[in-house]
Amino acid sequence: MTAPGRRSSTFTRLLRHGFTDASAAERRLDSPELALVRDDPVLLEALGATADPDLALDGLVRLLEAQPAPAARRELLDTVIAAKPLRDRLLGVLGASAALGEHLARHAGDWQALVTYEPRDLHPGVEEFERGLAGADDPVALRVAYRRCLLSIAARDVCGTTGIAETAAELADLATATLRAALRIAGEEAPEDAARCRLAVIAMGKCGGHELNYVSDVDVIFVGESAEEGGDETEALRAATRLAARMMRICSETTVEGSIWPVDANLRPEGRNGPLVRTLSSHLAYYQRWAKTWEFQALLKARPVAGDAELGAAYVEALSPLVWQAAERDNFVADVQKMRRRVVANIPVAEVERELKLGPGGLRDVEFAVQLLQLVHGRADPSLRSGTTLDALQALAAGGYVGRADAGRLDEAYRFLRFMEHRIQLYRLRRTHLLPEDDAGLRRLGRSLGLRADPVAELTREWKRHTGVVRRLHEKLFYRPLLDAVAQLAPGEARLSTEAARERLVALGYADPAAALRHLEALASGVTRKAAIQRTLLPVLLGWFADSADPDAGLLNFRKVSDALGKTPWYLRLLRDEGAAAENLARVLSAGRLAPDLLMRAPEAVALLGDGGGGLGPRGRAQLEQEILAAVGRAESAEQGVTAARGVRRRELFRTAAADIIGSYGTEAQPAETDQGPLVDQVGGAVSDLTAATLAGTLRAVVRGGWGDTLPTRFAVIGMGRFGGHELGYGSDADVLFVHEPREGADEREAADAANRVVAEMRRLLQLPSADPPLLIDAGLRPEGKSGPLVRTLTSYAAYYRRWSLVWESQALLRAEPVAGDEELGRRFVELADPLRYPAAGLDEDAVREIRRLKARMESERLPRGADPKLHTKLGPGGLSDVEWTVQLLQMRHGAEVAGLRTTRTRQALAAARTAGLVTEEDAAVLDEAWVLATRVRNAVMLVRGRAGDTFPTEPRELAAVGRYLGYGPGHVGDMLDAYRRTARRARTVMETLFYGT
């Protein structure tokens, strides 16, 4: 009978030693197997030191129960109590791994493998593991022997005898021995195949890199040759393929003892679609002609491990030179970074925050960063050619390719994350990289890492700290040494050589690395606070510049802006402290010429890019007009007033361009817009509103300067073309009509003279040479074209349209909308235009034929000589003209009866035609897509080149920049052009049906 208080005393002791279910633990201690040692303080202390005391005690009881006789049970207990090395090893494994506990319960004598404690047992290699597997002659025996060897590795690991790097190396060596044993068994099962071929097994991935996990796919590549010189190669490859496939099954198949691990050969040339075994010459031909960047990256870790050693060595010798030439490939860095982003994007959303390996700040970030640097600098420096991540990181730091402090922090974070990964996998011997969701799992994991006070909270805190370090450093690792190469370093600190810095910049896509280094030196050298902040910012900025089509321009423009604003107290503080500002600036400065040119003329507009700079959203016409009119009101002359208006226009053009670029490129916090229609509408609306407000301000300035507050005639500006349609691009002229109406009692000649003087002065002031871009006014759509008067009265317009108007002039009026001046006069002009553009009876056949004739003539006569029609966004097949004329024909035919068609905006009118059943959903979508894409291309050309254009640039960097704006990554301009042609071709087909009726 239990003495009073005995239970509560033992219960308390068990809780104090870390048991979570003290009642169950008491029952296990009361079992016959442990009766003699239940109160032994040595046993309780040892159990309490494990990751999971409850699990360790349960495993110990099961192991004792599995012993074949009382004497064997007594021997095990006596050894556990008396021999501390065995006690720590055995209980440590039982408390960390339920799977190995189950193995011991099935194979009750395997605990003896943990008894010996000699120096040779501390760091076994392939030979020792081969001896441990030597007696295994079939897949089941191989699994048992494998687990026995794994038991010893785990014991050294959980006791701290080996560190993470040594444990990973031992696991790789055990995998090597296992592959050799499996190949031996396969050869014994098929001796004829083994005799017919030479087969080499090349380890890849973590096995090849000597840094394997407890449970991981073992990546391999097979190389085969005929066993005899001049033998039948085809037969030899068939035999080698059968051997390789059997070897894979021996390791992967599930038996009564489970499986070992999957053998994965998908890193071979052509992946799953390629032959399992190739000859060396076939491998070499593939990598020389077809291999992608990531395949060379994978070869970093290639290591022959089994089979024909001579053939394996020949494979590595033949392919190694190709690995170190990979950094010379076009878009090398971009390809590697894109692959990393793709990996992150494929993680299920629910698992991202628990993903140790692939998530942001995880193991793969460190490995990708290290491999990227190895590939860039390993060609010139053989010391960097290690397949082991931590060894490579140490070599990079020793050579000055990575800062020592950064390398030290990454090394610490990587080791911690690998410890977590190992302990998570060791528990069930399952392949996982996910942090446990339950508190029990987190507690066991925390305790296994030595966190005992509050394991769950401490583990979470340490994990977040280390992933945060990796997140901050993994990209900076590539860029920071570029600054150290031009900065003053502490004594003894290794420096990236000028040649190494040049190599890195070339790999990043810089065409002039020498100039880039000069810019970095100018920005970051010195001991001033400004230089210190620049050294903090530039590593990240260089990465964003490298993500553009023209990194050189991005860095040069950043230097110019920094030189202009360097003495202002807010500039660097804005970039450092406001998360969005630095990335937004980097995108804007490297996307082309227009936005940087606008910014250089007034660099203080950088403030718009910050979180608190008023934002990049477009401002409405009323708000813009209010600001411009106020500035004009403060000016002392018309010229000063228009200068102020043009200054506002320049700033707002920059705001619009910046928002467009950032929305198109995307940022780390906000991916690029997938639906490009809203971006097109935003740009068109913003530039049109800005142009209208500028004209309103200019009109006010001119009237005040020449006539005071009142002009002798009412005066209105009517927007036409893209202006009236709210579809202006960055380089568009302002198509307008001018209309006036003499005030009551005013002399008509004097009124007309005043109106013409206003127009002339507005055009002059808006084109004066200045730091601000000019605004060109085009009145070519007026009655009689260039031969007619610039300004007419409303009565004159009415008379002309009544008597002389041609069908194209009625079509032009579809876009007419008042934009500035007398609102009442503008409204009356619209009332005059409505019956002409939306005729009550629609269009007769003669008018339709005339419109079609004009369109066909325009296609044949106006296309520039030498231009590729299929890529001309305005006049080419499926371009803007095709879509707009199709929509406008529908408006003139049906506008009188369909209210939705009575709009100046192309996309709105097309949507109304679809709603009214005049166009099918599918045809409307095709036309809309083509119009949006053509408009985006024109906007992109202006942003990139700084001047308007209707076709794609021919200069490679400019073409690539247009591609980046449109969402095409490096090396994909061909895809962009193909997509444009395809979109335009579909639109032309629809247009010919709807417009020409064919």
Side-chain angles (χ1 to χ4, degrees):
M1 183 175 177
T2 304
R6 165 87 179 273
R7 177 176 176 81
S8 61
S9 172
T10 304
F11 191 87
T12 303
R13 285 172 60 205
L14 290 170
L15 288 176
R16 191 169 63 247
H17 280 98
F19 288 86
T20 56
D21 190 348
S23 298
E26 264 192 310
R27 288 194 297 274
R28 291 191 188 98
L29 287 169
D30 283 335
S31 65
E33 290 79 12
L34 289 176
L36 296 176
V37 295
R38 74 178 311 279
D39 292 320
D40 192 311
V42 171
L43 179 61
L44 285 183
E45 286 288 341
L47 288 167
T50 66
D52 188 338
D54 301 85
L55 182 66
L57 178 57
D58 182 62
L60 179 60
V61 171
R62 292 178 64 198
L63 177 58
L64 288 165
E65 290 172 345
Q67 297 306 305
R73 194 175 301 135
R74 185 72 201 183
E75 179 190 4
L76 172 57
L77 268 180
D78 287 347
T79 311
V80 166
I81 297 300
K84 184 177 185 331
L86 171 71
R87 182 169 65 245
D88 290 345
R89 287 178 168 197
L90 178 60
L91 296 183
V93 168
L94 292 173
S97 178
L100 288 177
E102 291 167 3
H103 171 83
L104 285 168
R106 287 197 309 274
H107 303 280
D110 277 6
W111 67 272
Q112 299 278 0
L114 304 178
V115 174
T116 55
Y117 195 76
E118 300 175 16
R120 66 184 175 82
D121 296 312
L122 294 182
H123 301 294
V126 177
E127 289 183 10
E128 287 79 11
F129 289 126
E130 283 191 288
R131 282 197 293 271
L133 302 176
D137 294 323
D138 60 70
V140 173
L142 183 60
R143 280 151 178 71
V144 175
Y146 174 84
R147 288 288 201 293
R148 191 181 304 120
C149 293
L150 192 66
L151 189 65
S152 65
I153 294 175
R156 287 186 293 275
D157 179 13
V158 298
C159 291
T161 306
T162 54
I164 189 66
E166 293 82 6
T167 300
E170 288 183 17
L171 289 165
D173 286 341
L174 175 56
T176 297
T178 305
L179 289 170
R180 291 177 182 179
L183 187 57
R184 171 177 53 79
I185 295 170
E188 290 169 354
E189 293 178 357
E192 291 183 2
D193 283 344
R196 192 173 286 132
C197 67
R198 300 168 63 199
L199 178 64
V201 184
I202 312 297
M204 305 289 284
K206 282 190 160 42
C207 184
H210 227 226
E211 51 187 12
L212 198 60
N213 305 327
Y214 275 102
V215 187
S216 174
D217 290 358
V218 171
D219 296 309
V220 298
I221 284 177
F222 295 106
V223 191
E225 301 283 355
S226 173
E228 299 177 3
E229 189 173 346
D232 188 330
E233 184 178 282
T234 302
E235 283 302 315
L237 285 178
R238 287 174 181 164
T241 300
R242 289 191 292 269
L243 269 183
R246 179 59 184 147
M247 186 205 83
M248 293 172 69
R249 287 196 300 274
I250 288 170
C251 296
S252 307
E253 280 179 345
T254 301
T255 69
V256 292
E257 287 292 336
S259 66
I260 301 176
W261 19 246
V263 177
D264 188 343
N266 288 334
L267 290 177
R268 67 186 184 270
E270 300 181 76
R272 295 175 188 271
N273 298 320
L276 184 63
V277 184
R278 288 176 183 257
T279 62
L280 176 55
S281 60
S282 175
H283 276 284
L284 191 58
Y286 174 84
Y287 283 103
Q288 287 172 335
R289 288 195 65 186
W290 306 111
K292 297 181 174 63
T293 298
W294 70 265
E295 293 178 280
F296 293 107
Q297 186 180 354
L299 284 174
L300 268 174
K301 297 183 179 292
R303 179 172 64 94
V305 291
D308 191 299
E310 184 181 344
L311 181 57
Y315 173 89
V316 171
E317 183 180 355
L319 291 178
S320 182
L322 300 181
V323 174
W324 307 111
Q325 294 167 13
E328 299 173 4
R329 295 164 66 93
D330 290 342
N331 308 310
F332 161 71
V333 172
D335 283 349
V336 174
Q337 292 174 333
K338 183 169 70 175
M339 176 64 70
R340 174 67 190 118
R341 286 192 291 268
R342 188 181 302 158
V343 168
V344 174
N346 287 334
I347 302 172
V349 175
E351 296 180 358
V352 169
E353 294 302 317
R354 297 167 49 224
E355 177 59 76
L356 274 177
K357 178 181 177 181
L358 304 178
L363 291 162
R364 190 56 61 85
D365 274 349
V366 181
E367 292 159 1
F368 262 62
V370 169
Q371 289 164 21
L372 191 60
L373 289 168
Q374 285 182 277
L375 289 167
V376 170
H377 299 297
R379 183 182 184 190
D381 189 346
S383 71
L384 305 179
R385 299 180 183 180
S386 171
T388 308
T389 301
L390 290 175
D391 290 349
L393 182 58
Q394 185 177 4
L396 287 164
Y401 303 99
V402 172
R404 289 186 186 275
D406 286 348
R409 286 192 289 270
L410 269 185
D411 183 286
E412 180 189 4
Y414 188 74
R415 288 176 189 272
F416 182 83
L417 295 172
R418 286 301 301 272
F419 263 125
M420 289 180 68
E421 181 185 42
H422 275 199
R423 294 294 192 269
I424 290 169
Q425 293 183 350
L426 182 58
Y427 176 54
R428 289 287 185 194
L429 286 182
R430 289 179 183 164
R431 183 175 181 268
T432 179
H433 309 285
L434 294 177
L435 207 64
E437 293 184 281
D438 60 301
D439 280 350
L442 290 170
R443 181 176 183 273
R444 179 177 54 255
L445 180 58
R447 283 176 59 88
S448 76
L449 297 171
L451 308 173
R452 299 299 171 92
D454 186 352
V456 176
E458 290 179 73
L459 172 68
T460 303
R461 184 166 58 249
E462 283 298 292
W463 178 49
K464 293 296 184 187
R465 180 173 73 85
H466 285 297
T467 55
V469 166
V470 174
R471 273 178 150 164
R472 288 193 301 274
L473 289 183
H474 90 275
E475 285 190 352
K476 190 174 74 172
L477 198 69
F478 198 81
Y479 305 110
R480 180 183 285 279
L482 290 169
L483 306 182
D484 293 341
V486 297
Q488 297 296 317
L489 301 183
E493 180 75 17
R495 178 195 299 271
L496 194 67
S497 69
T498 302
E499 180 58 25
R502 189 198 69 79
E503 288 175 347
R504 196 171 297 191
L505 286 163
V506 169
L508 284 168
Y510 285 84
D512 189 350
L517 283 172
R518 288 196 300 273
H519 299 324
L520 292 176
E521 184 173 12
L523 289 163
S525 60
V527 295
T528 63
R529 179 174 172 274
K530 181 175 77 170
I533 296 176
Q534 288 280 24
R535 285 194 291 272
T536 301
L537 290 169
L538 276 166
V540 184
L541 288 167
L542 284 169
W544 287 323
F545 293 147
D547 190 39
S548 74
D550 195 350
D552 299 81
L555 182 55
L556 172 61
N557 289 331
F558 180 68
R559 180 180 175 183
K560 288 179 179 178
V561 173
S562 295
D563 287 346
L565 294 176
K567 294 182 180 178
T568 57
W570 56 267
Y571 168 62
L572 289 174
R573 187 169 65 243
L574 170 82
L575 299 184
R576 182 192 64 192
D577 298 341
E578 294 201 23
E583 184 177 5
N584 289 346
L585 180 61
R587 299 297 183 204
V588 167
L589 293 180
S590 57
R593 296 180 184 175
L594 179 66
D597 285 351
L598 292 169
L599 182 60
M600 297 307 170
R601 291 166 182 167
E604 65 277 2
V606 165
L608 296 173
L609 301 173
D611 301 326
L616 292 172
R619 301 167 73 202
R621 182 182 299 190
Q623 190 178 2
L624 291 168
E625 198 168 307
Q626 182 180 15
E627 180 183 359
I628 288 175
L629 291 177
V632 167
R634 293 189 295 270
E636 295 181 0
S637 67
E639 192 165 316
Q640 288 181 4
V642 175
T643 298
R646 290 175 67 181
V648 173
R649 178 172 178 265
R650 178 209 13 86
R651 183 197 69 211
E652 295 303 319
L653 278 175
F654 173 75
R655 186 199 302 270
T656 303
D660 188 15
I661 290 166
I662 292 162
S664 298
Y665 271 65
T667 64
E668 291 181 358
Q670 183 69 42
E673 300 286 348
T674 52
D675 181 2
Q676 298 181 340
L679 270 176
V680 165
D681 293 341
Q682 179 174 305
V683 171
V687 177
S688 299
D689 285 346
L690 178 57
T691 301
T694 305
L695 289 178
T698 303
L699 177 59
R700 174 72 61 85
V702 169
V703 171
R704 277 187 66 225
W707 292 271
D709 292 331
T710 305
L711 194 66
T713 185
R714 293 184 179 88
F715 187 91
V717 183
I718 311 299
M720 300 289 285
R722 297 193 171 283
F723 186 15
H726 298 256
E727 297 162 0
L728 282 180
Y730 299 108
S732 301
D733 296 346
D735 288 320
V736 297
L737 298 178
F738 297 108
V739 58
H740 80 103
E741 185 176 65
R743 295 185 185 278
E744 190 173 344
D747 180 77
E748 289 190 9
R749 184 181 295 276
E750 181 185 341
D753 181 58
N756 277 287
R757 284 167 55 197
V758 165
V759 171
E761 186 67 358
M762 286 178 69
R763 299 177 81 178
R764 183 185 74 83
L765 292 176
L766 287 170
Q767 295 179 51
L768 281 177
S770 82
D772 300 313
L775 174 56
L776 301 180
I777 296 176
D778 186 347
L781 292 175
R782 65 188 183 270
E784 301 179 75
K786 294 181 180 180
S787 303
L790 268 176
V791 189
R792 286 177 183 262
T793 63
L794 187 61
T795 304
S796 175
Y797 274 109
Y800 175 86
Y801 286 132
R802 185 172 58 253
R803 294 187 62 190
W804 309 109
S805 175
L806 300 173
V807 68
W808 73 263
E809 291 175 303
S810 296
Q811 182 181 352
L813 287 173
L814 285 167
R815 309 280 224 142
E817 181 174 286
V819 293
D822 191 288
E823 293 182 8
E824 172 64 16
L825 183 59
R827 184 185 60 75
R828 288 164 56 204
F829 183 90
V830 168
E831 291 175 353
L832 167 67
D834 277 351
L836 295 165
R837 54 186 178 179
Y838 311 125
L843 290 179
D844 58 33
E845 284 304 311
D846 288 342
V848 172
R849 272 196 302 273
E850 176 64 11
I851 290 175
R852 289 171 175 167
R853 187 187 66 79
L854 288 170
K855 176 72 171 75
R857 178 181 168 190
M858 184 174 69
E859 290 176 11
S860 63
E861 295 179 2
R862 292 183 56 187
L863 194 69
R865 181 178 297 175
D868 181 353
K870 294 179 180 177
L871 293 176
H872 199 281
T873 60
K874 184 176 181 180
L875 301 176
L880 295 170
S881 172
D882 273 4
V883 178
E884 290 166 1
W885 281 61
T886 300
V887 171
Q888 288 163 14
L889 183 59
L890 290 170
Q891 287 181 284
M892 295 183 75
R893 279 179 148 179
H894 305 285
E897 58 195 42
V898 179
L901 291 174
R902 297 195 286 272
T903 174
T904 61
R905 307 180 189 214
T906 302
R907 296 188 73 211
Q908 283 188 9
L910 181 57
R914 182 194 65 223
T915 302
L918 301 173
V919 181
T920 66
E921 291 269 352
E922 183 180 353
D923 286 352
V926 168
L927 293 176
D928 187 69
E929 181 187 9
W931 190 90
V932 167
L933 179 56
T935 305
R936 291 269 292 161
V937 172
R938 295 179 93 213
N939 285 344
V941 170
M942 184 65 188
L943 286 169
V944 169
R945 302 178 69 194
R947 61 182 188 274
D950 292 319
T951 191
F952 289 88
T954 55
E955 198 280 319
R957 282 218 168 196
E958 292 179 346
L959 187 61
V962 170
R964 285 291 291 113
Y965 172 87
L966 294 176
Y968 292 88
H972 290 278
V973 294
D975 295 338
M976 170 184 67
L977 297 177
D978 287 345
Y980 179 83
R981 292 188 186 100
R982 189 165 53 249
T983 303
R985 188 167 57 248
R986 289 200 300 263
R988 178 67 181 193
T989 301
V990 173
M991 177 266 190
E992 287 178 347
T993 300
L994 295 177
F995 184 81
Y996 287 118
T998 58

